[in-house]
Every structure is written in structure tokens, then in C-alpha cells.
Amino acid sequence: MARRRLYHRQFPALALLLGLVLPLLAACTEEGELIRSYGPEQGSPQVRVLILAGPDSHGPKAHEHRAGSQLMARALHAQQPGYVIDVVYGGWPVDESLFDGVDTVVIYCDGGSGHMIIDQLPKFTDLLDDDVGVVMLHYAVEVPKGSESATQVLRAIGGFFETHWSVNPHWEARFTDLPQHPVTSGVAPFDMLDEWYFNMRFVPDMAGVTPILSAVPPPETMKRRDGLHSGNKAVRAMVAAGQSQVVAWVYERPEGGRGFGYTGGHFHANWGNDNALQLVLNAIIWTAEGHP
């Protein structure tokens, strides 16, 4: 199947954000309902992308999964008009035929014990067996430690947020040195305040993992007491030593397929950062192109 490779064209993210003030076409949706689809204007679709947005949480301006997912879908469609892009809001799709022929699945939701994949592990495993790409954004990278969902997320994207090991402070990360990779094409070094998670639990020796965004957390990230998400002896030692931390990464699965983990995405306004948005769009394209 011929696939157009286009990573570098920037999309004006501010215009996308301004578009969110317009009334939504569908004010009310059921859990797991398809709310928007984009398709090719002509010809057969090159790639199928399914974006799963969990219920909004944290009030306005944070964890706005619906608006953020629609914004990503519009930006991706503008850059890749030959793609079919479906957006589902509220959880796992009620209509699982949306997975038919999908090349990559983007999951943007609250995680932990309420993660949407926990009750859908057979289907999620089938997707991995079929080498479907997986992109997990922000809280979606957290699943319960020691669970089967943790095993499958590790298999899907090569790393996850492990409680009592990983931490989730708010801090301004400075990304001064980006690796050469299709996911960073057209992305310039940038600074951004977000709830950047770090000290992730990766596959052994980080085999197959390529760090994409790394930064040195300031001492202020350790001002909270030790806890489930806030600190522990190991991470405090890393921060005190000024160790750079990976907050976004790509993964080449040994059995086939690609994954991407991105720990930013807490603040909705950050989708207005062209570099951050372009990085995620590139990752969607890259993971989709890894599907045979």
C-alpha cells in the first residue's frame, strides 16, 4: 500500500484552538460513541486512525480529552487528507467495527485503575498481535502496577507510569536537544510548562525504546512528600544528581508494530504549542506507517 510520508508541514495550532469556541456539533454523546469522522476527499484511504478520548476530567482547561482529540484530528486531517480519522468520546468504542483495518489507535484518557483498556484487554491484545500502532497520551500511560494491563501497555509502547516509582509534578521542561527521528521532523527545541511525568518504568535495558523528549527536572519537582505519584528515594536521588529524564519516547516492538508514549497533555492550552502538537501528529503518522 502506498503511503504518503509527510512529517514537516506545520499547522497553525492557534487557529485550531480558536475554533474550539464554536458550538460543538454534538452536544451530548453516549459513552464510547463516534463523534466525528474525517475521510479522504477522493480515492481510497491510505491510513486509518482511531482516536479514543476518555471522559473529560479535572474541570476546564485540563484533561479536556474530547476537545484535545478533536483538535488533533482536525490538524492531522489538514496534513494527511488521505487518512480516515475517527474520534470516539467517552471510552472504548461501543461499535468495535471501528477497529477494522485500523493502522494506529490513539488513547487520550484518565488512567490508573479506571483506564479504558482494563476491561478490554482481549481486544487490545488482538490489536498488538496484529501489529497495530498505539499512541498513549498523558494519564493514559498509567496503569496499575503488576497488572495484566501494565504488561500489555509495556508491550504496546515500551514504558508506563508505575506508582511509587514514577512521578507527576508540574514543571517547565526545556527540550534543548531533539534526536533525529521522523517523529521530531519539523519540531524545534521548545520549553513548556506541563505535568510532565518522569522516571517511567521501561522495558529491560530500554531495548527498542528511543527517547524523543528529555529534560532535567528542577529540584522543585521533589517538593512534595513521598507517595503514589509524588516521590520516592530513587527518584529523589536522580533529581538531586541532575539526571535527564525521558518524558516522551518511541518504541519498536520486537514482534512488530510501533508505539509512542507522551506524558504531556495535561493543560489543554498546550495543544496551542506548534512544536508539541506537531510532535504528536508525527508520532501518529509514524506509528500508523509501522502497521503492515
Side-chain angles (χ1 to χ4, degrees):
M1 178 185 299
R3 300 196 176 178
R4 184 170 65 180
R5 297 177 182 269
L6 178 57
Y7 297 94
H8 62 276
R9 186 170 64 187
Q10 294 285 342
F11 192 87
L14 181 60
L16 288 172
L17 283 172
L18 291 175
L20 296 179
V21 303
L22 298 176
L24 295 175
L25 293 178
C28 300
T29 56
E30 299 296 330
E31 182 177 343
E33 180 181 337
L34 177 69
I35 59 171
R36 190 63 192 266
S37 291
Y38 298 86
E41 295 177 1
Q42 58 184 2
S44 300
Q46 298 173 334
V47 168
R48 297 189 68 92
V49 175
L50 178 59
I51 301 177
L52 306 182
D56 290 348
S57 61
H58 288 55
K61 300 183 181 181
H63 289 223
E64 293 194 26
H65 302 125
R66 174 176 180 146
S69 295
Q70 290 181 291
L71 185 153
M72 282 185 282
R74 288 197 296 272
L76 183 61
H77 177 64
Q79 295 189 13
Q80 298 288 355
Y83 283 19
V84 168
I85 307 163
D86 294 323
V87 182
V88 168
Y89 176 68
W92 199 258
V94 173
D95 179 7
E96 288 200 344
S97 69
L98 291 170
F99 289 110
D100 294 348
V102 73
D103 291 288
T104 198
V105 176
V106 181
I107 302 178
Y108 188 28
C109 68
D110 283 359
S113 60
H115 201 295
M116 69 167 70
I117 72 164
I118 290 176
D119 293 331
Q120 307 294 340
L121 282 174
K123 183 62 180 179
F124 187 72
T125 302
D126 287 346
L127 295 172
L128 301 184
D129 290 343
D130 191 34
D131 300 335
V132 170
V134 175
V135 171
M136 289 190 166
L137 307 175
H138 197 50
Y139 197 1
V141 303
E142 182 189 329
V143 280
K145 176 181 178 179
S147 66
E148 180 59 22
S149 56
T151 298
Q152 295 306 322
V153 170
L154 200 63
R155 179 187 173 198
I157 64 171
F160 72 101
F161 186 107
E162 181 179 288
T163 52
H164 292 295
W165 177 253
S166 310
V167 291
N168 67 347
H170 291 199
W171 54 294
E172 185 172 13
R174 297 184 175 182
F175 305 116
T176 58
D177 187 19
L178 304 179
Q180 288 191 336
H181 191 278
V183 170
T184 62
S185 183
V187 179
F190 66 101
D191 301 344
M192 196 164 79
L193 172 67
D194 208 322
E195 188 182 51
W196 297 108
Y197 306 164
F198 61 91
N199 198 34
M200 310 302 290
R201 180 65 73 185
F202 289 109
V203 293
D205 301 318
M206 294 184 71
V209 173
T210 300
I212 295 298
L213 294 180
S214 299
V216 177
E220 291 75 19
T221 58
M222 293 289 99
K223 66 183 179 181
R224 298 177 296 173
R225 295 180 179 179
D226 287 355
L228 223 63
H229 302 90
S230 55
N232 55 74
K233 183 178 180 179
V235 77
R236 290 185 188 280
M238 294 176 195
V239 171
Q243 181 174 321
S244 183
Q245 294 285 341
V246 178
V247 299
W249 65 94
V250 294
Y251 182 53
E252 297 264 11
R253 298 183 208 135
E255 72 273 18
R258 296 171 174 175
F260 175 69
Y262 177 79
T263 70
H266 177 81
F267 298 116
H268 181 66
N270 282 348
W271 294 117
N273 183 304
D274 284 328
N275 289 302
L277 176 61
Q278 190 62 48
L279 186 87
V280 172
L281 298 183
N282 288 347
I284 296 171
I285 296 167
W286 181 79
T287 54
E289 291 188 341
H291 186 230

